């Protein structure tokens, strides 16, 4: 899709491209800790030069760009192949705090979040409370001006490298489900917090589990009212499913182009069946871009991505799985190797393994289908699910 850009928009693109080409942070370190610090330095460079938070209000250090300017911004960042903001603060916690937080919370947390002086982990899922999140059991007992938090969270991306976490806790009685949940901001350096890494199918340790043992959290760190955290969490989840949608579309535009090059290089592009699959991938990545534009427009107009974010999330997660399956089919027996000596460094095999979890993270494919059926298509609620 091509748009007719105004002179002012073209000038903005040229200035942004010039800045991105002027910053040289060197090659990203291979170790997780070094790579995280590298990402922090990159975000600090963006923030210090006025290029962080394209959709964030200017009063909190963001750019407050128009919809069309955000398109340009994401296109240029994808073109420059720069790292995404580390942690889940900027795409998820930040928009939530801006909408539901107190003025003191916005002033305290947003700027350090945008500059990556403080990076954030998400603390929602628990053992036994992933897809059925309202059944979570981590408790927060009120004790004066503090809550005392006890429980366990799991699948917390890069939590061992984060400074803060936004966490759902049960402040109501057991069995109150979504009516007894509150939304807390927890300092991960607090006494009683224990974070352990988990090894996944790729061999990496991107995920963690977090344990809370009598962790004291100021009541001032609660976002919204007590027991009303579920409504706030839905905002966070909506932004999780829509955040970076434009950048993700640009990323997969590049991936599809790379698969086209791969097919040509090994002579597979002459196969009519392969050509059909390549054409399908090309069409779907164009749909991904259009869907991303619709969501960003919805956020600008309504402040929320709405249930359409579930449509996009489901489509994108299935697409990235099927795209890597296509790559492995093209590679044939080379697709059995994931070492650096394999064709193209084994990156397609790594991507294949990594994307097996795409239909689990940010809400499973089944959750997305239920949301689409009930909130988009207005179908009856699934009777097999607990009452909502």
């Amino acid at each position: 899709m091509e748009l007719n850009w105004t002179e002012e928009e073209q000038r903005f693109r040229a200035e942004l491209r010039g800045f991105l080409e002027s910053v040289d942070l060197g090659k990203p370190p291979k170790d997780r800790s070094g790579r995280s610090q590298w990402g922090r330095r990159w975000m600090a460079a963006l923030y210090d030069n006025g290029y962080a938070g394209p959709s964030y209000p200017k009063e909190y250090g963001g750019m407050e760009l128009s919809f069309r300017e955000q398109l340009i911004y994401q296109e240029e960042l994808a073109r420059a192949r720069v790292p995404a903001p580390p942690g889940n603060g900027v795409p998820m916690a930040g928009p939530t705090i801006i909408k539901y937080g107190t003025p003191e919370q916005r002033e305290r947390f947003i700027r350090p979040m945008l500059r990556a002086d403080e990076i954030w982990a998400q603390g929602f899922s628990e053992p036994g409370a992933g897809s059925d999140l309202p059944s979570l059991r981590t408790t927060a007992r009120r004790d004066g001006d503090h809550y005392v938090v006890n429980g366990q969270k799991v699948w917390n991306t890069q939590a061992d490298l984060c400074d803060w976490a936004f966490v759902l806790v049960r402040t109501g009685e057991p069995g109150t489900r979504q009516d007894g949940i509150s939304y807390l901001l927890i300092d991960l350096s607090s006494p009683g917090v224990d974070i352990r890494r988990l090894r996944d199918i790729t061999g990496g340790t991107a995920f963690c589990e977090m344990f809370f043992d009598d962790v004291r959290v100021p009541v001032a760190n609660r976002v919204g009212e007590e027991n009303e955290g579920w409504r706030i969490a839905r905002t966070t989840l909506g932004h999780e499913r829509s955040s970076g949608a434009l950048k993700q579309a640009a990323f997969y535009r590049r991936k599809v182009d790379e698969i086209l090059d791969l097919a040509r290089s090994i002579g597979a592009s002459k196969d009519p069946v392969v050509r059909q699959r390549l054409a399908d991938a090309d069409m779907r990545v164009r749909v991904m871009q259009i869907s991303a534009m619709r969501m960003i427009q919805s956020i600008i107009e309504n402040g929320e991505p709405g249930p359409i974010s579930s449509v996009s999330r489901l489509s994108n997660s299935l697409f990235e799985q099927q795209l890597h399956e296509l790559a492995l089919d093209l590679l044939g027996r080379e697709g059995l190797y994931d070492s650096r000596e394999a064709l193209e460094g084994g990156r397609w095999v790594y991507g294949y393994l990594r994307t097996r979890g795409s239909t689990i993270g940010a809400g499973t494919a089944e959750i997305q289908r239920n949301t689409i059926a009930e909130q988009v298509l207005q179908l009856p609620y699934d009777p097999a699910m607990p009452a909502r």
Side-chain angles (χ1 to χ4, degrees), residues 153-165:
K153 298 291 179 179
V154 72
W155 306 125
N156 318 113
T157 306
Q158 310 280 13
D160 59 324
L161 302 174
C162 291
D163 307 288
W164 285 79

Side-chain angles (χ1 to χ4, degrees), residues 33-169:
S33 178
R35 198 177 183 91
S36 177
Q37 293 300 321
W38 182 76
R40 287 184 189 245
R41 292 198 299 275
W42 166 247
M43 287 302 296
L46 279 180
Y47 183 88
D48 293 345
N49 287 278
Y51 287 113
S55 62
Y56 276 57
K58 287 184 178 178
E59 65 179 304
Y60 300 118
M63 300 175 72
E64 205 168 327
L65 295 180
S66 68
F67 171 63
R68 289 169 62 92
E69 289 171 331
Q70 288 189 49
L71 289 179
I72 294 173
Y73 183 91
Q74 297 300 345
E75 284 180 359
E76 289 302 313
L77 262 66
R79 175 183 174 278
R81 300 193 178 199
V82 297
N88 284 317
V90 173
M92 298 174 65
T96 306
I97 294 173
I98 288 174
K99 181 165 185 175
Y100 292 105
T102 64
E104 292 77 15
Q105 289 171 342
R106 297 186 196 113
E107 192 62 33
R108 164 63 184 84
F109 293 115
I110 299 300
R111 290 178 184 275
M113 185 184 291
L114 282 178
R115 199 176 183 277
D117 292 330
E118 295 171 340
I119 58 178
W120 290 67
Q122 180 187 16
F124 282 13
S125 295
E126 298 180 1
S131 296
D132 184 22
L133 197 54
S135 67
L136 65 86
R137 292 181 293 181
T138 294
T139 60
R141 176 178 53 81
R142 186 74 177 262
D143 181 20
D145 294 334
H146 286 75
Y147 288 104
V148 181
V149 178
N150 284 282
Q152 178 188 355
K153 298 291 179 179
V154 72
W155 306 125
N156 318 113
T157 306
Q158 310 280 13
D160 59 324
L161 302 174
C162 291
D163 307 288
W164 285 79
F166 47 101
V167 179
L168 294 182
V169 296

Side-chain angles (χ1 to χ4, degrees), residues 228-275:
E228 294 186 6
W230 181 247
R231 177 170 58 96
I232 299 168
R234 291 177 70 90
T235 292
T236 300
L237 290 169
H239 281 281
E240 179 183 23
R241 292 161 189 163
S242 61
S243 63
L246 287 170
K247 188 173 182 179
Q248 187 180 33
F251 173 79
Y252 274 102
R253 173 70 268 171
R254 195 174 73 230
K255 282 285 185 184
V256 168
D257 290 341
E258 290 173 351
I259 286 186
L260 289 170
D261 291 339
L262 173 64
R264 293 189 189 100
S265 69
I266 61 177
S269 60
K270 298 176 181 177
D271 185 316
V273 175
V274 170
R275 291 175 69 86

Side-chain angles (χ1 to χ4, degrees), residues 150-210:
N150 284 282
Q152 178 188 355
K153 298 291 179 179
V154 72
W155 306 125
N156 318 113
T157 306
Q158 310 280 13
D160 59 324
L161 302 174
C162 291
D163 307 288
W164 285 79
F166 47 101
V167 179
L168 294 182
V169 296
R170 182 156 304 286
T171 43
E173 295 297 319
T176 51
R177 294 186 58 78
Q178 65 266 36
D179 295 329
I181 292 175
S182 295
Y183 194 110
L184 297 184
L185 309 178
I186 299 181
D187 183 346
L188 294 180
S189 66
S190 302
V193 176
D194 183 21
I195 300 175
R196 305 170 190 172
R197 289 187 284 177
L198 296 170
R199 192 167 297 281
D200 61 36
I201 192 174
T202 68
T205 54
F207 295 107
C208 298
E209 52 187 346
M210 300 190 296

